[in-house]
């Protein structure tokens, strides 16, 4: 007789279900899928409903025990938050797949579709799909609650500078943005002579004070006020105030040093020009190119003031200029600048072109000035100096004119400027008509000073066409290599409607 094969009798390949008698493929449980699911529920113990707490004001979700996080709808972050709610129950099964089921955004419901596996009787593996529904409940977070209660800040940093120009604050704003120190602020308020930063904790305010002291020459003091006291738990509630005063010296200021300070800096001239303000004050002597740096502590021990404010700048025209070889250093002289060139120039005010009145001066701008150029400077010969140290100087040691910077057509510079800066979101007490002019001065300083640009994030302005950088006759410009692309994240990057997020 011929041998019998299993394939010749299909009924021999299956067995009967021990519950309903339906033929099923052989399996360790000897049961069909329907009866197996009726007998065993692998999702037992996993909650099918849950609750999420959502703050309407700041649009954040509560991550227990006390952390509020920003999550977009149907994003990976929100999916992870929902799974953490049932993490303990999912430890008994194996999670295969997880994703959102679309629901109306205003329904206050989030539906999660989960696929899990678990080993059941006699080693058989059962896979099951089920839905977990989360109800979104509104709950105000602590930060928003303080704001609504008008008692939202625990510490404030008051930054002040007693000057008429805001160049230092514009520079400080870019440093704060670059180092992301504004992320912990609750509120930023701009007033007449400075900025106020409000914080929810004293530690964040102290961090800002430490940053300011390392960034700009300044001094600080702190105070605190008792708000409440719980006598039972001995808990004190204070509001702290940090006052930071920045030295009242800005870029392009002409200063007069005290004789003692000028001697300690290498016997440099008392009349100097501030060429830069970073963590120190950078000074240059326009008659010898001698440079010096003064930190905050030195300044407060030997304070000095600016002789002029920026509105007193006058426009001169270069009639004749001669580069001068380096003068012989005197006894104890300090370092000299390698980026500037000493020159002697005859200049005339543009307002006095119909006269023959000219001025002779020494300048540190010999590397960029030529006969016929326009230059901005201060007239010391026809002004009334009201300064403690300048009034005691020998009149022969006071120059007639101090040249500050070369003058360019501002309208042309603005038209060709293909870059932009970002700013802090803050409340303004009042917008001065002079603020725009001061901001344009700061932008021009960035174009002229490469050392300052290294500390600032400069972004490409796509609205302005790209021009060649090889124009040497025009004003200084920032190259494309120094610019960053402004990043814009679309909504699709965080998952659009119906996005299926996998764990």
């Amino acid at each position: 007789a011929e041998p019998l094969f299993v394939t010749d009798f299909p009924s021999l390949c299956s067995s009967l279900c021990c519950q309903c008698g339906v033929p099923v493929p052989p399996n360790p449980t000897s049961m069909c899928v329907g009866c197996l699911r009726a007998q065993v529920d692998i999702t037992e113990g996993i909650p099918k409903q849950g609750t999420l707490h959502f703050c309407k004001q700041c649009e954040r979700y509560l991550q227990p025990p006390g952390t509020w996080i920003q999550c977009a709808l149907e994003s990976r972050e929100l999916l992870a938050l929902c799974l953490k709610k049932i993490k303990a129950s999912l430890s008994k099964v194996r999670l295969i797949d997880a994703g959102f089921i679309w629901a109306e955004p205003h329904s206050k419901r989030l539906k999660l579709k989960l696929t899990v596996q678990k080993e059941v009787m006699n080693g058989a593996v059962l896979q099951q799909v089920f839905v977990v529904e989360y109800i979104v409940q509104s709950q105000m977070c602590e930060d928003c609650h303080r704001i609504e209660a008008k008692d939202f800040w625990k510490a404030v940093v008051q930054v002040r500078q007693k000057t008429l120009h805001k160049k230092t604050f514009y520079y400080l704003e870019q440093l704060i943005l670059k180092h992301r120190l504004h992320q912990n602020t609750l509120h930023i308020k701009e007033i007449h002579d400075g900025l106020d930063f409000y914080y929810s904790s004293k530690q964040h305010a102290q961090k800002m004070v430490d940053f300011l002291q390392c960034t700009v020459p300044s001094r600080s003091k702190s105070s605190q006020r008792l708000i409440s006291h719980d006598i039972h738990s001995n808990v004190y509630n204070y509001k702290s105030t940090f006052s930071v005063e920045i030295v009242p010296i800005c870029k392009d200021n002409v200063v007069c040093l005290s004789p003692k300070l000028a001697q300690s800096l290498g016997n440099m001239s008392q009349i100097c020009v501030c060429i830069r303000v970073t963590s120190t004050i950078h000074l240059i002597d326009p008659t010898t190119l001698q440079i010096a740096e003064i930190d905050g502590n030195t300044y407060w021990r030997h304070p000095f003031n600016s002789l002029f404010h920026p509105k007193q700048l006058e426009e001169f025209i270069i009639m004749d200029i001669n580069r001068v070889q380096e003068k012989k250093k005197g006894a104890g002289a300090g370092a000299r600048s390698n980026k500037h060139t000493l020159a002697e120039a005859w200049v005339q005010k543009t307002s006095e072109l119909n006269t023959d009145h000219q001025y002779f001066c020494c300048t540190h701008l010999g590397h960029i000035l030529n006969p016929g150029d326009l230059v901005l400077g201060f007239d010391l010969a026809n002004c009334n100096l009201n300064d403690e140290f300048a009034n005691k100087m020998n009149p022969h040691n006071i120059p007639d004119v101090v040249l500050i910077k070369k003058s360019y057509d501002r309208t042309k510079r603005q038209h060709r400027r293909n870059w932009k800066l970002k700013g802090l979101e803050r409340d303004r007490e009042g917008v001065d008509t002079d603020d725009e002019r001061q901001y344009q001065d700061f932008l021009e300083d960035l174009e002229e000073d490469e050392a300052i640009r290294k500390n600032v994030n400069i972004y490409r302005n796509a609205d302005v066409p790209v021009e060649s950088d090889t124009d040497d006759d025009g004003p200084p410009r920032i190259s494309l290599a120094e610019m960053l692309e402004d990043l814009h994240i679309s909504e699709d990057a965080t998952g659009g409607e119906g996005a299926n997020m996998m764990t």
Side-chain angles (χ1 to χ4, degrees):
E2 295 182 359
L4 297 177
F5 295 96
V6 177
T7 54
D8 296 337
F9 299 92
S11 60
L12 297 178
C13 299
S14 60
S15 60
L16 299 180
C17 176
C18 63
Q19 294 288 334
C20 60
V22 176
V24 294
N27 61 75
T29 62
S30 299
M31 297 172 62
C32 64
V33 176
C35 295
L36 184 60
R37 287 181 175 173
Q39 293 289 328
V40 180
D41 184 12
I42 64 175
T43 64
E44 185 179 3
I46 301 177
K48 305 303 187 295
Q49 285 188 340
T51 303
L52 290 177
H53 296 284
F54 177 73
C55 180
K56 293 182 179 180
Q57 276 74 12
C58 59
E59 299 183 349
R60 295 186 298 174
Y61 291 89
L62 174 62
Q63 180 178 336
T67 305
W68 293 84
I69 59 176
Q70 195 87 23
C71 298
L73 283 177
E74 300 189 358
S75 63
R76 291 180 179 268
E77 294 80 8
L78 187 57
L79 180 63
L81 180 61
C82 295
L83 291 177
K84 285 181 181 179
K85 289 279 187 178
I86 56 175
K87 182 179 180 181
S89 303
L90 291 176
S91 60
K92 300 179 181 180
V93 297
R94 181 184 178 189
L95 183 62
I96 300 300
D97 189 15
F100 284 103
I101 299 177
W102 186 86
E104 180 65 32
H106 302 287
S107 64
K108 300 295 182 181
R109 296 291 188 275
L110 291 176
K111 294 183 179 180
L112 206 62
K113 181 181 178 181
L114 303 179
T115 303
V116 295
Q117 287 181 354
K118 184 179 180 181
E119 186 176 337
V120 292
M121 310 176 197
N122 301 325
V125 178
L126 183 62
Q127 179 171 309
Q128 192 168 343
V129 180
F130 64 102
V131 176
V132 179
E133 183 178 2
Y134 291 92
I135 301 175
V136 181
Q137 294 184 352
S138 298
Q139 177 179 329
M140 188 177 293
C141 65
E142 294 181 359
D143 296 336
C144 296
H145 190 275
R146 291 195 186 100
I147 295 176
E148 291 297 324
K150 308 301 181 183
D151 186 26
F152 58 93
W153 60 273
K154 292 292 184 67
V156 59
V157 179
Q158 299 174 340
V159 187
R160 301 290 184 267
Q161 187 183 31
K162 298 177 181 178
T163 58
L164 297 177
H165 205 289
K166 299 181 179 179
K167 284 185 179 181
T168 305
F169 280 105
Y170 291 135
Y171 174 64
L172 195 60
E173 177 183 13
Q174 298 303 318
L175 291 178
I176 293 174
L177 286 170
K178 183 171 184 177
H179 295 279
R180 302 179 180 273
L181 286 178
H182 63 291
Q183 293 182 340
N184 295 324
T185 56
L186 298 176
H187 183 64
I188 302 176
K189 184 178 180 181
E190 180 180 351
I191 61 175
H192 176 64
D193 56 349
L195 293 171
D196 288 346
F197 298 88
Y198 294 90
Y199 295 91
S200 60
S201 66
K202 184 178 179 180
Q203 291 76 13
H204 291 156
Q206 185 64 54
K207 183 179 180 181
M208 171 61 81
V209 173
D210 295 340
F211 172 77
L212 293 175
Q213 291 180 337
C214 297
T215 304
V216 290
S218 59
R219 62 180 176 181
S220 66
K221 60 181 179 180
S222 62
S223 62
Q224 58 184 10
R225 179 166 58 96
L226 180 64
I227 303 300
S228 62
H229 174 213
D230 188 353
I231 60 175
H232 300 288
S233 59
N234 201 26
V235 175
Y236 293 83
N237 183 20
Y238 290 99
K239 277 192 173 182
S240 302
T241 301
F242 296 88
S243 177
V244 180
E245 183 181 358
I246 304 176
V247 296
I249 304 298
C250 295
K251 184 179 184 296
D252 296 337
N253 283 164
V254 178
V255 299
C256 183
L257 308 179
S258 64
K260 184 177 180 180
L261 179 59
Q263 183 180 7
S264 65
L265 296 177
N267 292 324
M268 64 188 307
S269 174
Q270 289 183 245
I271 303 295
C272 298
V273 178
C274 177
I275 56 175
R276 190 180 303 116
V277 176
T278 55
S279 57
T280 58
I281 303 173
H282 299 255
L283 300 178
I284 187 171
D285 183 356
T287 60
T288 61
L289 298 186
Q290 187 173 335
I291 56 177
E293 296 183 12
I294 301 177
D295 57 10
N297 294 330
T298 305
Y299 175 84
W300 298 118
R301 288 197 303 267
H302 307 280
F304 52 87
N305 297 316
S306 175
L307 299 180
F308 303 91
H309 55 79
K311 291 184 179 180
Q312 293 176 291
L313 277 171
E314 298 187 65
E315 191 175 55
F316 296 85
I317 185 170
I318 302 295
M319 307 304 294
D320 189 20
I321 187 170
N322 296 315
R323 275 71 176 176
V324 179
Q325 299 294 330
E326 288 191 6
K327 296 182 179 180
K328 184 178 180 181
K329 284 187 178 183
R336 292 182 177 178
S337 174
N338 296 324
K339 297 182 179 180
H340 300 84
T341 301
L342 186 62
E344 295 177 345
W346 285 94
V347 297
Q348 186 177 12
K349 291 184 181 180
T350 54
S351 60
E352 299 177 353
L353 290 180
N354 56 347
T355 65
D356 296 332
H357 192 189
Q358 296 185 6
Y359 303 88
F360 175 79
C361 64
C362 292
T363 178
H364 59 289
L365 304 177
H367 57 295
I368 58 174
L369 295 181
N370 295 296
D373 288 344
L374 296 178
V375 61
L376 298 177
F378 294 108
D379 181 8
L380 279 73
N382 302 314
C383 70
N384 184 15
L385 292 178
N386 185 16
D387 184 81
E388 176 186 1
F389 305 123
N391 293 336
K392 297 178 181 179
M393 288 183 62
N394 187 344
H396 298 287
N397 296 332
I398 299 178
D400 293 338
V401 174
V402 176
L403 302 181
I404 301 299
K405 60 181 179 179
K406 188 175 180 179
S407 178
Y408 299 96
D409 185 1
R410 171 165 287 187
T411 304
K412 184 178 179 180
R413 297 185 74 166
Q414 295 181 8
H415 179 71
R416 299 176 60 183
R417 188 171 290 140
N418 58 348
W419 53 275
K420 58 183 179 180
L421 301 176
K422 293 185 177 181
L424 292 173
E425 295 182 2
R426 58 187 183 271
D427 292 341
R428 297 177 183 268
E429 192 175 75
V431 180
D432 192 355
T433 55
D434 195 42
D435 288 350
E436 179 61 27
R437 183 189 65 82
Q438 296 183 14
Y439 186 68
Q440 293 299 327
D441 289 342
F442 172 70
L443 297 182
E444 293 174 2
D445 291 343
L446 287 180
E447 293 175 336
E448 297 169 3
D449 195 340
E450 183 180 356
I452 294 294
R453 292 201 300 266
K454 294 179 180 179
N455 302 326
V456 176
N457 284 341
I458 300 173
Y459 296 91
R460 170 83 173 89
N461 189 0
D463 298 334
V464 180
V466 179
E467 298 182 10
S468 174
D469 294 338
T470 58
D471 186 7
D472 296 333
D473 298 332
R477 302 178 61 189
I478 299 178
S479 63
L480 290 174
E482 299 178 76
M483 302 181 192
L484 301 174
E485 290 293 338
D486 197 1
L487 181 62
H488 296 282
I489 301 178
S490 62
E491 295 181 358
D492 295 338
T494 58
E497 287 187 354
N500 185 19
M501 296 298 180
M502 304 290 292
T503 56

